[in-house]
Amino acid sequence: MTLLDSIVMQGLGRHGALTAEDKTLLLDLELNPRRAAAGEVLWQESADVDLFCVVKEGWAYSYRNLGNGSMQILKVYLPGDIIGMRDFGFARRLAGVAMINDGVISPFTHQQLFELIGRSPALAAGIIATVVRQQAMLTERLVYLGRYAAHERLAHFLYELYLRLKRIGAVAENGFLMPLSQEQIGDALGLSAVHVSRTFSMLRDEGLVVRDRQHVVLPDPQALARLVEFNDTYIDETLSSAFHGFH
Amino acid sequence: MTLLDSIVMQGLGRHGALTAEDKTLLLDLELNPRRAAAGEVLWQESADVDLFCVVKEGWAYSYRNLGNGSMQILKVYLPGDIIGMRDFGFARRLAGVAMINDGVISPFTHQQLFELIGRSPALAAGIIATVVRQQAMLTERLVYLGRYAAHERLAHFLYELYLRLKRIGAVAENGFLMPLSQEQIGDALGLSAVHVSRTFSMLRDEGLVVRDRQHVVLPDPQALARLVEFNDTYIDETLSSAFHGFH
DNA sequence: AGAGATTCATAACGCAGGTTATAGACGAGA
DNA sequence: TCTCGTCTATAACCTGCGTTATGAATCTCT
């Protein structure tokens, strides 16, 4: 799991050839890795925007604390993801970010990001693509919050994680580790922790999800995908050819 | 309402001086205006991505049609907004777009957008800012879908429209025209049309919203804002200084 | 190894909001 | 002016999910 540095390159660079300089620029982003403990808050809402991070190990999530005492988790970050792009261009953080479990992150500065954009059109395009893809994932979540029932939300959530983890080689025999508590899952899906538990039981009874603490197995991923009519365009879609021309 | 062409410039250019050439580039985007009738579908989900549009008159919305027969409205577009940025970088539309009422739109091509980005770093930065701001509005909606009750969702929705319309001078004496049906509002807020009606009645009884068909008045906008703890950072926040340095 | 804190499963109960139904108000077109 | 279709208001009824509670299992710290 330590060679995930390259995942960023895969994610950003798949659609166009990266030059050796591009690769150097990318690797430079990861020169300052540090450990981050479970629960550590990387930054709070409204903090100044100074850093972005590459997640190298562990999971993180971005969230909003609400006036009514509840929390909404906006996105779960996996190894290889870039944290903080949400705030790109803003002076203040729109959401807080915290680690879910112990991990390693590589912070880099606003400054570094601007330089990278200035030096490599290919990477600039890739970064825009990253932002747009994140927006697409957010949209997908929004649709599920607005119009689907609890079991569909949970199934969709698990299947999305499954696909994303598979991309980075963190799935074995349809199983993966999921360090999120049911409370946190509820905060992501707009459900109470109790109902998340109920819903897990339901999916278990239907043979769709087997779970033992943090270990999750999807015995039949296709069945899950059918249940949620999973639209994976937003995860795997290739960029348009017009976009390539931009490089 | 016909001079709204300039709104795009206001929205993108407020944070940095635009050169005369920048302005020309922007005006070039609006050379081909055409009428669009209420209900007209500008494009469907999964269609090829070819065009973007500036809305010059009228309202539009982007939406997803779901397998369970319902619809989720993702965003309402007002005069001066750019439609289609959601799909920037994708080969296929992630969402359909339709007109709410009669209006005028100015389509421009992928090609034009790329040229504009290539020629003017200031405009490129502005466009990224537009995308990020849209993402922020989407996030705000997501939070409300996940963690707030019907009356809070509706109040927030109305107040956001109020602010956006005020920016473009479409509010008079705290009142504005809202061409959305209650069914459409429900599709945006993840509620049934019946419950939207109930909730309007509730807000009316509390003196927060007066409504007669399409005419809406917010007698005390501040009271509404308090109800929803409105966070207008994402609408008005100035860009970070680092971002300015990028121009 | 023991104590306290977290997490999870399941049950009981209540309510916000979905669904269906009905009737009035309004708008477009003949 | 009449008709038909769309939109809205309100009522009656039902259910999915929130809330609260309890006990068991697991983790953490010493």
Side-chain angles (χ1 to χ4, degrees):
Chain A
M1 197 83 71
T2 45
L3 290 182
L4 282 167
D5 315 8
S6 61
I7 296 302
V8 173
M9 291 166 58
Q10 179 199 325
L12 297 180
R14 176 162 27 141
H15 309 294
L18 291 184
T19 67
E21 193 201 348
D22 289 344
K23 290 178 185 171
T24 308
L25 284 169
L26 274 181
L27 286 175
D28 284 353
L29 294 184
E30 306 196 33
L31 288 182
N32 303 306
R34 71 169 181 85
R35 314 215 109 263
E40 180 179 335
V41 173
L42 301 188
W43 56 73
Q44 308 256 14
E45 295 172 62
S46 304
D48 286 346
V49 177
D50 47 356
L51 298 175
F52 306 96
C53 290
V54 177
V55 182
K56 304 185 72 161
E57 290 175 38
W59 294 24
Y61 64 93
S62 56
Y63 62 91
R64 292 270 305 275
N65 279 314
L66 310 182
N68 58 22
S70 55
M71 157 180 293
Q72 178 67 49
I73 290 181
L74 304 175
K75 179 168 168 61
V76 172
Y77 297 90
L78 308 180
D81 287 337
I82 298 181
I83 310 181
M85 290 306 296
R86 175 185 313 284
D87 308 305
F88 183 70
F90 281 97
R92 308 254 167 168
R93 299 289 183 191
L94 298 173
V97 171
M99 294 301 294
I100 292 169
N101 50 3
D102 293 339
V104 175
I105 58 173
S106 285
F108 56 93
T109 65
H110 228 122
Q111 185 62 28
Q112 283 179 281
L113 186 60
F114 282 121
E115 274 190 35
L116 178 137
I117 291 177
R119 291 214 193 156
S120 165
L123 291 182
I127 284 175
I128 294 180
T130 299
V131 173
V132 170
R133 195 196 301 173
Q134 284 199 19
Q135 175 160 342
M137 296 185 64
L138 204 67
T139 300
E140 204 63 21
R141 175 70 39 79
L142 180 108
V143 165
Y144 270 81
L145 287 188
R147 287 302 187 198
Y148 284 93
H151 68 280
E152 295 164 313
R153 292 187 212 176
L154 182 55
H156 181 267
F157 183 74
L158 292 174
Y159 189 67
E160 184 185 296
L161 281 178
Y162 165 78
L163 284 187
R164 291 172 65 195
L165 288 168
K166 207 159 74 159
R167 268 170 54 111
I168 62 173
V171 172
E173 301 174 38
N174 293 337
F176 54 88
L177 269 183
M178 189 187 58
L180 288 160
S181 71
Q182 296 187 349
E183 173 104 39
Q184 290 168 325
I185 295 174
D187 286 336
L189 301 183
L191 298 170
S192 68
V194 173
H195 203 60
V196 170
S197 178
R198 277 196 287 248
T199 309
F200 261 122
S201 302
M202 213 190 96
L203 293 179
R204 178 203 347 110
D205 295 346
E206 293 178 8
L208 291 169
V209 177
V210 179
R211 192 177 52 86
D212 178 50
R213 299 302 279 182
Q214 303 201 339
H215 201 81
V216 175
V217 178
L218 309 182
D220 183 358
Q222 297 321 309
L224 254 201
R226 256 174 277 125
L227 171 60
V228 299
E229 327 166 58
F230 201 87
N231 175 357
D232 58 1
T233 307
Y234 69 88
I235 285 187
D236 275 332
E237 179 75 353
T238 57
L239 295 177
S240 72
S241 53
F243 208 82
H244 287 145
F246 183 52
H247 287 194
Chain B
M1 196 83 71
T2 45
L3 290 182
L4 282 169
D5 315 8
S6 60
I7 296 303
V8 173
M9 290 165 58
Q10 179 200 325
L12 296 179
R14 176 160 29 136
H15 308 294
L18 292 183
T19 68
E21 192 201 349
D22 289 344
K23 290 179 184 170
T24 308
L25 285 168
L26 274 183
L27 287 175
D28 283 354
L29 294 183
E30 305 196 35
L31 288 181
N32 303 305
R34 72 169 181 84
R35 312 215 112 262
E40 180 178 335
V41 173
L42 300 187
W43 55 74
Q44 308 256 14
E45 294 172 62
S46 303
D48 286 346
V49 177
D50 47 357
L51 297 174
F52 306 95
C53 290
V54 177
V55 181
K56 303 185 71 162
E57 291 175 38
W59 293 25
Y61 63 93
S62 56
Y63 62 92
R64 291 270 305 276
N65 279 314
L66 310 182
N68 58 20
S70 55
M71 158 180 293
Q72 177 68 48
I73 290 181
L74 304 176
K75 178 166 168 60
V76 172
Y77 297 91
L78 307 181
D81 287 337
I82 299 181
I83 311 182
M85 291 306 296
R86 176 185 312 285
D87 308 306
F88 183 70
F90 282 95
R92 308 238 159 189
R93 298 291 182 190
L94 298 173
V97 170
M99 294 299 294
I100 292 170
N101 50 4
D102 294 339
V104 175
I105 58 173
S106 286
F108 57 92
T109 65
H110 229 122
Q111 185 62 28
Q112 284 178 280
L113 186 59
F114 281 121
E115 275 190 35
L116 179 137
I117 291 177
R119 292 215 193 155
S120 165
L123 291 182
I127 284 175
I128 294 179
T130 298
V131 173
V132 170
R133 195 194 304 173
Q134 284 199 20
Q135 174 159 343
M137 295 184 65
L138 205 67
T139 300
E140 205 62 21
R141 176 70 38 80
L142 180 110
V143 165
Y144 270 81
L145 287 188
R147 288 299 186 202
Y148 285 93
H151 68 281
E152 295 164 312
R153 292 187 212 178
L154 182 55
H156 181 267
F157 184 73
L158 292 174
Y159 189 68
E160 183 185 296
L161 281 178
Y162 164 79
L163 284 187
R164 290 172 65 196
L165 288 168
K166 205 159 74 160
R167 268 170 54 111
I168 62 175
V171 171
E173 301 175 36
N174 293 337
F176 53 89
L177 270 184
M178 190 189 57
L180 289 160
S181 70
Q182 295 188 349
E183 172 104 41
Q184 290 168 326
I185 295 173
D187 286 337
L189 302 183
L191 298 170
S192 67
V194 173
H195 202 62
V196 170
S197 179
R198 277 196 284 247
T199 308
F200 262 122
S201 302
M202 213 191 98
L203 292 179
R204 175 197 358 103
D205 295 346
E206 294 178 6
L208 291 169
V209 177
V210 180
R211 192 178 51 86
D212 179 49
R213 300 301 278 183
Q214 303 200 339
H215 201 82
V216 175
V217 178
L218 309 183
D220 183 358
Q222 297 322 309
L224 254 201
R226 256 175 278 125
L227 172 60
V228 298
E229 326 167 58
F230 201 87
N231 175 355
D232 58 2
T233 307
Y234 68 90
I235 285 187
D236 275 332
E237 179 73 353
T238 57
L239 295 176
S240 71
S241 53
F243 207 80
H244 288 147
F246 184 51
H247 287 192

